Amino acid sequence: MQNFKRAFVFIILLSPGILFLQDISNLKISIKDTDDSSRIILASSKNLSTSIEKSGSFIMVRIRADLPYKIQRRSFNSRYIESLGWSRGAGYYILNIKTSLAKFSYVSSTLKAPYRLIIDIIPEGTGKREKGEIIVESNSNAYSDSNKVDIDQGLKTIIIDPGHGGLESGAKGKFGTLEKEITLDISLKLKEIIERNLAYRVVLTRDKDIAVSLENRAAKANNNRAFVFISIHANGFFRKEARGSETYFLNLNATDEEARRLAYLENNSSELNTVEGENEDDIKMILWDMAQAAYLTQSSQLAELIQNELNTLLGTLNRGVKQAPFKVLTGVACPAVLVEVAFISNPDEERKLMKSEFQNMIALAVYRGLTNFLKLNL
Amino acid sequence: MSVRQYAFLIALSVLLLVLVAIFFKCGEEKKLIPEPVTQMLDSEEISGEESETKKVFLFFLAEEDDLLHAEVREIQADAVLILQAKLVIRELIKGSRNEGISPIPVKTKLRELFITDEGIAFVDFSKEIQENQFFGSAGEIAAVFSIVNTLTYNFKSIKRVFILIEGREKETLGGHIDLKRPLLPRFDLAANLPGSG
């Protein structure tokens, strides 16, 4: 009976904990070496949405997580894997895998029920290895690397981001013009001008009237290793008198201390990959979350050059280059700007924006600004 | 298994259920604690009033430019910080008394407001705050920073503002300004910054 009593008390003490634990999923990592590679298996009780990025001697796995995970760490010995680092941001985790290899390739695959992400790290020079039969599926969202395009065509990529789309129509004009329509029209024209005149590949974040999340827009740029990111918007304000063109680049909206850390990165963007030690994880996380922080100088230059051309060509009121914490720009890892071409909430400018010639002029102005930027940054 | 063991298991599961019930019940009761009421004072009342009052400034748009203009109100100075902050936000939603333009839809409700030890004010609005057809980026910047500036300008202990909608983190109000992190004020968007009294 004494034993029963003890068990009883024990279970009662545990029960709130058991209730709580049900919500937390586990992430378990195991590492195995094979003859020619090192294998990392990331197992979870839930299906994961992940993206993988290779950079220098690192592999970074970004795992989307709406709820916290319980991460099981374990010490290990591996030929090609030196260390693992975890860091956490709003809505995701990042696993940093440090390899001991200067040159290597990797093969990733997923298995389901239970979910496993398998990454094989293969040193360069061991011959090509086919993806094994274990590949079951690749995630279709932007967190996966499945939409990574083959970019070995020698062409650099410019991303044009037509603002809004789908149910999210953006600002609306008095005559019923929607921001999402204007931004797409201008973006398509801009794409055509760039492709006709420059040896760059142009990728649109959307080429029809569909909703694309802001994170996915940035992801598209990063997955394509974009050289430049240009977001096209039309402005809206409470006073219909508000008018003119303005070009934004990111404002970090950070404290002095954060800004100091981020500014350090700007001159040392390669350090993103070489920050070491667990204590640095938080810093690294801030950095990856705000990849744009490393490109602010170039972004402001691009903004100035585009704004100059808008003034010259359009004759709209010059509202200048401005900074604000635009969500779409924060995660973009290349020079990035957001152009507010004119005010759709101003009836005069709305009428202009509806005209194809005016849209062409805007596209041409942005193109000229971009060309000037490319001349300075090659 | 003996009868005694079965009985024991059943008793245990009943107990667990009771514990679960108590657990959730307690949570509900907390919400029922009534919130003390603090009132906005009319300017006439203030002159004769003996209790301490304090000037606060709300940031609205004006007809003449695209900047945020501070508009004065007086509130009781003895109310606790969180109630003062709620009062100020409710007053901001009500709109300007001098023909200023409020960038926040008047139907918006303040659902909750709390302030962390680190000086981050979490302000939870009802979904109406998103229903504004003027949310081009200029309009959205005005809406977001009228809230952030109003809270940080009037309360020194509030350093940053985290805007929530219907109790959840939201990416943006209308597709532009990042709401997934606490925002610092942007007093460069203000036309005037009067001294508080």
Side-chain angles (χ1 to χ4, degrees):
Chain A
M1 201 56 210
Q2 194 60 31
N3 276 347
F4 269 138
K5 267 189 197 161
R6 260 188 221 146
F8 195 69
V9 170
F10 186 57
I11 287 170
I12 285 172
L13 287 175
L14 264 184
S15 49
I18 290 166
L19 285 173
F20 185 62
L21 272 178
Q22 278 176 343
D23 262 3
I24 298 182
S25 311
N26 282 311
L27 273 182
K28 201 173 139 189
I29 290 204
S30 44
I31 291 173
K32 281 174 199 157
D33 280 356
T34 64
D35 288 344
D36 62 344
S37 70
S38 290
R39 170 171 283 190
I40 299 160
I41 303 171
L42 184 65
S44 165
S45 42
K46 270 191 205 156
N47 285 349
L48 301 177
S49 180
T50 59
S51 67
I52 303 174
E53 192 152 357
K54 176 174 176 274
S55 178
S57 61
F58 281 79
I59 285 190
M60 237 151 290
V61 186
R62 185 178 160 119
I63 302 153
R64 189 151 64 165
D66 298 322
L67 292 166
Y69 281 96
K70 188 171 183 289
I71 295 170
Q72 299 181 357
R73 297 160 198 258
R74 223 190 267 175
S75 59
F76 62 89
N77 262 320
S78 163
R79 198 160 10 133
Y80 301 134
I81 298 163
E82 254 180 49
S83 62
L84 301 176
W86 281 98
S87 39
R88 194 179 160 193
Y92 54 85
Y93 287 87
I94 284 184
L95 168 63
N96 250 301
I97 303 165
K98 189 179 187 204
T99 70
S100 53
L101 301 165
K103 281 188 171 181
F104 69 96
S105 60
Y106 75 92
V107 177
S108 72
S109 53
T110 55
L111 282 175
K112 286 206 164 171
Y115 179 90
R116 276 152 294 163
L117 170 71
I118 298 157
I119 304 168
D120 285 350
I121 292 173
I122 309 145
E124 213 140 90
T126 54
K128 273 208 171 160
R129 219 177 93 126
E130 292 299 313
K131 289 189 179 187
E133 66 284 351
I134 49 169
I135 295 155
V136 175
E137 57 136 39
S138 57
N139 300 321
S140 57
N141 64 41
Y143 283 89
S144 84
D145 53 349
S146 62
N147 57 351
K148 206 168 270 174
V149 188
D150 183 17
I151 44 173
D152 289 337
Q153 299 161 13
L155 291 184
K156 285 175 180 161
T157 304
I158 289 162
I159 301 279
I160 300 170
D161 172 44
H164 309 279
L167 285 175
E168 213 255 289
S169 45
K172 197 173 169 179
K174 185 182 154 196
F175 308 114
T177 316
L178 299 176
E179 184 182 354
K180 65 171 183 178
E181 300 166 351
I182 301 296
T183 58
L184 182 57
D185 288 349
I186 296 168
S187 298
L188 288 168
K189 290 182 163 73
L190 177 56
K191 176 180 159 76
E192 200 194 309
I193 299 177
I194 296 172
E195 285 182 338
R196 200 169 50 217
N197 295 293
L198 299 174
Y200 283 82
R201 198 169 66 102
V202 178
V203 174
L204 295 173
T205 55
R206 67 178 178 97
D207 57 3
K208 47 184 170 296
D209 185 15
I210 50 162
V212 181
S213 79
L214 298 175
E215 270 194 351
N216 283 0
R217 291 170 198 250
K220 193 153 194 173
N222 297 345
N223 286 341
N224 281 286
R225 303 206 189 292
F227 192 65
V228 171
F229 179 94
I230 300 171
S231 187
I232 302 287
H233 281 246
N235 221 332
F237 198 58
F238 297 89
R239 299 164 53 243
K240 65 178 191 311
E241 294 80 12
R243 64 194 172 87
S245 314
E246 56 196 21
T247 308
Y248 279 93
F249 66 103
L250 185 72
N251 174 301
L252 297 175
N253 201 270
T255 61
D256 291 346
E257 168 61 14
E258 290 160 353
R260 195 182 55 77
R261 285 192 204 168
L262 290 164
Y264 171 76
L265 183 79
E266 190 162 358
N267 303 317
N268 303 280
S269 46
S270 58
E271 301 238 346
L272 214 53
N273 305 323
T274 52
V275 184
E276 280 181 42
E278 296 253 324
N279 295 344
E280 307 287 344
D281 280 353
D282 288 344
I283 301 172
K284 243 186 308 192
M285 177 48 64
I286 297 168
L287 302 182
W288 276 105
D289 196 23
M290 307 258 309
Q292 179 56 206
Y295 300 91
L296 288 184
T297 306
Q298 281 179 300
S299 295
S300 79
Q301 185 189 39
L302 177 61
E304 290 285 349
L305 292 168
I306 290 178
Q307 184 64 27
N308 285 345
E309 296 299 324
L310 285 173
N311 296 333
T312 316
L313 275 184
L314 298 184
T316 47
L317 174 73
N318 177 11
R319 295 172 66 96
V321 170
K322 295 183 177 179
Q323 278 185 279
F326 277 95
K327 178 74 188 172
V328 73
L329 300 177
T330 50
V332 178
C334 70
V337 296
L338 187 144
V339 187
E340 291 285 356
V341 297
F343 278 76
I344 209 166
S345 54
N346 177 311
D348 287 339
E349 294 201 339
E350 182 189 3
R351 233 178 273 127
K352 284 185 188 168
L353 283 169
M354 289 154 72
K355 290 191 182 127
S356 189
E357 310 90 81
F358 190 72
Q359 294 176 1
N360 270 326
M361 291 298 273
I362 293 168
L364 188 61
V366 176
Y367 161 79
R368 284 199 193 170
L370 171 69
T371 335
N372 291 337
F373 175 82
L374 294 175
K375 276 182 211 156
L376 294 170
N377 288 280
L378 281 182
Chain B
M1 235 188 255
S2 75
V3 177
R4 217 168 64 170
Q5 276 170 317
Y6 272 121
F8 172 73
L9 275 178
I10 289 166
L12 193 67
S13 26
V14 168
L15 198 88
L16 266 176
L17 279 175
V18 170
L19 279 174
V20 168
I22 290 170
F23 182 74
F24 284 107
K25 193 75 187 165
C26 287
E28 272 168 34
E29 272 168 13
K30 260 184 201 163
K31 286 178 201 154
L32 296 176
I33 298 168
E35 190 176 281
V37 183
T38 311
Q39 280 180 354
M40 186 61 71
L41 301 172
D42 284 332
S43 32
E44 301 94 72
E45 272 179 58
I46 297 156
S47 47
E49 198 68 74
E50 293 223 352
S51 74
E52 290 257 320
T53 65
K54 141 184 191 189
K55 276 185 183 152
V56 290
F57 298 92
L58 313 178
F59 287 89
F60 295 109
L61 293 167
E63 275 300 335
E64 67 262 28
D65 56 32
D66 305 335
L67 297 168
L68 292 164
H69 295 251
E71 195 176 302
V72 70
R73 297 280 190 281
E74 300 228 6
I75 61 166
Q76 289 172 344
D78 52 357
V80 294
L81 170 66
I82 201 150
L83 292 179
Q84 290 188 18
K86 282 184 182 179
L87 194 61
V88 162
I89 290 295
R90 292 211 172 95
E91 202 60 19
L92 183 71
I93 296 170
K94 270 189 211 160
S96 166
R97 291 180 186 172
N98 336 317
E99 293 170 1
I101 309 163
S102 174
I104 302 163
V106 72
K107 282 182 182 166
T108 306
K109 289 191 179 56
L110 173 65
R111 295 176 82 240
E112 196 48 84
L113 187 152
F114 57 93
I115 301 162
T116 67
D117 292 343
E118 292 81 42
I120 301 176
F122 284 78
V123 196
D124 183 12
F125 292 100
S126 66
K127 60 180 184 308
E128 286 81 8
I129 194 168
Q130 297 175 95
E131 291 167 6
N132 207 321
Q133 59 161 322
F134 299 108
F135 279 166
S137 50
E140 196 171 314
I141 288 168
V144 168
F145 289 102
S146 75
I147 297 164
V148 179
N149 284 4
T150 296
L151 281 174
T152 50
Y153 193 64
N154 292 301
F155 306 107
K156 281 205 177 70
S157 52
I158 299 178
K159 308 283 186 226
R160 301 199 213 197
V161 178
F162 204 119
I163 296 172
L164 304 171
I165 298 166
E166 297 289 330
R168 287 167 185 276
E169 279 184 26
K170 193 86 179 118
E171 207 169 45
T172 62
L173 275 187
H176 303 100
I177 301 304
D178 190 353
L179 299 185
K180 286 261 182 171
R181 63 186 78 241
L183 291 162
L184 289 164
R186 284 285 301 268
F187 294 124
D188 59 319
L189 302 172
N192 59 329
L193 292 170
S196 51

